[in-house]
Amino acid sequence: MDRIWFGPSGNSSKFYEDGYKHSYQMPEWLRNMGLNAYEYQCNKGTNIKKETAEKIGEEARKAGIRLSIHAPYYINLSSSEEEKRENSIQYILNTCRVAKWMGADRIVIHPGSVGRFSREEAMMKALPVLAEAVKRADEAGFSDITLCPEVLGKMNNLGSLEEVLIMCRLDDRLIPCIDFGHLHARTLGSLTGIDDFNAVFDKIENSIGAERAKKIHIHFSRIEFTQAGEKKHHTMDDTEYGPDFELLARVLVERKTEPVIICESRDRMAEDAVILKGIYERVKNGCSA
């Protein structure tokens, strides 16, 4: 039987409006909404205290919530400065440490920017840095934590689908984080039909194999973009923006995938994660009828 996880990236505005204050209260709140995943945000740094991380992990286990963590945004595997590349490795290791405290099994990593390099030169900088991060994570006892390089939304970001898949070929433990909003934005709105989504999964399978492709990490939101790529995340109610989750859900069901799906809708990521789950279940039930 396939298994799939739905949850938010960080804490919705409604969480605070409902009177809650602490992230360790999120797991039960999410369970009561019918969700089973939570991506904790370390995007501004790994400053969380060990006891707080352990408390979130404890509450997540009680609530049946699968945890992942978003590593700091300022990681840049392809920086022209050796010190910044070394710092990026340390940020990844710090995030792994928090994941270990929390019981999270995946961390999401922004690869960085192209900067003044060509895309090929940026990749030549990034790949050995990521490989070294994997090696040091193993040495530090973090080999059970999956690193997920993310498809990014701006043209000047290092993190096209193809680039992320090349990164994931460095080690079997790497799994791509496919942000379909970002992919839609950086390809200027290419995800408009079911064939477009199937083509994405064909690329993933051909690159890293069917088994890892079944268990990818997914970010999803509707997204506004310009010629430079990603501009702004929107909610599921903002239907003038793509992509359409139902098309993705059909592909997920047909291919019997078991991904973690994290909603990144603006301010209402948990509520929209419930909507995504509902769409998926409708598609799944329709297909099996």
Side-chain angles (χ1 to χ4, degrees):
M1 181 175 174
D2 66 311
R3 187 79 202 276
I4 193 164
W5 289 265
F6 286 93
S9 161
N11 303 351
S12 291
S13 297
K14 189 175 188 299
F15 174 72
Y16 300 104
E17 290 163 7
D18 284 351
Y20 297 97
K21 295 180 181 178
H22 306 290
S23 289
Y24 63 76
Q25 297 171 307
M26 274 292 286
E28 185 178 3
W29 188 76
L30 293 172
R31 180 185 63 183
N32 291 337
M33 295 178 76
L35 298 171
N36 58 359
Y38 175 40
E39 189 151 293
Y40 184 82
Q41 299 298 291
C42 282
N43 45 37
K44 294 180 181 175
T46 52
N47 302 318
I48 184 172
K49 294 178 181 174
K50 183 181 180 188
E51 53 265 37
T52 305
E54 289 175 340
K55 178 73 170 169
I56 293 170
E58 180 187 339
E59 294 301 317
R61 283 188 292 279
K62 287 197 290 193
I65 301 293
R66 182 172 180 174
L67 294 172
S68 54
I69 301 180
H70 200 303
Y73 283 152
Y74 39 79
I75 287 172
N76 189 358
L77 305 176
S78 56
S79 174
S80 60
E81 298 176 42
E82 185 178 349
E83 183 182 1
K84 288 184 178 177
R85 297 197 300 275
E86 175 59 35
N87 287 345
S88 292
I89 294 173
Q90 199 56 54
Y91 299 143
I92 290 170
L93 295 177
N94 291 347
T95 309
C96 285
R97 184 173 297 108
V98 174
K100 199 78 168 177
W101 293 339
M102 205 177 281
D105 64 348
R106 293 180 173 185
I107 70 167
V108 176
I109 300 165
H110 276 193
S113 66
V114 173
R116 60 182 176 81
F117 297 121
S118 69
R119 303 202 75 86
E120 293 75 16
E121 289 169 335
M123 282 294 285
M124 291 300 288
K125 288 280 187 192
L127 289 173
V129 177
L130 184 56
E132 180 66 15
V134 171
K135 175 174 172 285
R136 289 202 219 165
D138 284 348
E139 291 168 353
F142 303 141
S143 59
D144 54 337
I145 296 167
T146 300
L147 309 186
C148 304
E150 181 179 358
V151 172
L152 300 183
K154 293 186 172 69
M155 301 297 188
N156 64 355
N157 290 144
L158 188 68
S160 68
L161 175 61
E162 292 74 16
E163 287 161 351
V164 163
L165 292 176
I166 290 169
M167 291 175 192
C168 289
R169 292 207 295 269
L170 284 171
D171 191 279
D172 286 347
R173 204 172 73 249
L174 295 166
I175 285 182
C177 173
I178 310 297
D179 187 314
F180 281 92
H182 287 168
L183 183 57
H184 188 64
R186 75 177 298 138
T187 56
L188 303 179
S190 71
L191 300 177
T192 58
I194 197 161
D195 289 347
D196 303 315
F197 286 93
N198 270 314
V200 171
F201 278 85
D202 287 343
K203 280 184 182 176
I204 299 169
E205 286 186 12
N206 291 338
S207 183
I208 63 171
E211 272 310 299
R212 274 198 286 167
K214 276 184 71 172
K215 299 182 184 300
I216 61 171
H217 203 78
I218 290 174
H219 283 177
F220 192 91
S221 66
R222 295 187 181 276
I223 206 155
E224 181 180 353
F225 60 86
T226 68
Q227 289 298 309
E230 172 193 3
K231 180 181 178 184
K232 185 179 177 183
H233 287 247
H234 287 271
T235 72
M236 290 299 289
D237 289 341
D238 298 318
T239 52
E240 64 267 40
Y241 303 107
D244 180 351
F245 184 75
E246 183 168 341
L247 297 173
L248 174 56
R250 285 167 58 188
V251 173
L252 296 176
V253 169
E254 287 164 7
R255 290 179 181 251
K256 297 182 169 60
T257 58
E258 300 178 354
V260 176
I261 300 178
I262 298 297
C263 182
E264 291 198 316
S265 289
R266 189 177 182 86
D267 296 328
R268 45 169 295 138
M269 41 282 207
E271 301 95 301
D272 278 4
V274 174
I275 293 173
L276 299 183
K277 181 186 176 190
I279 292 169
Y280 175 85
E281 289 175 345
R282 280 200 308 277
V283 168
K284 189 172 189 295
N285 291 337
C287 287
S288 60

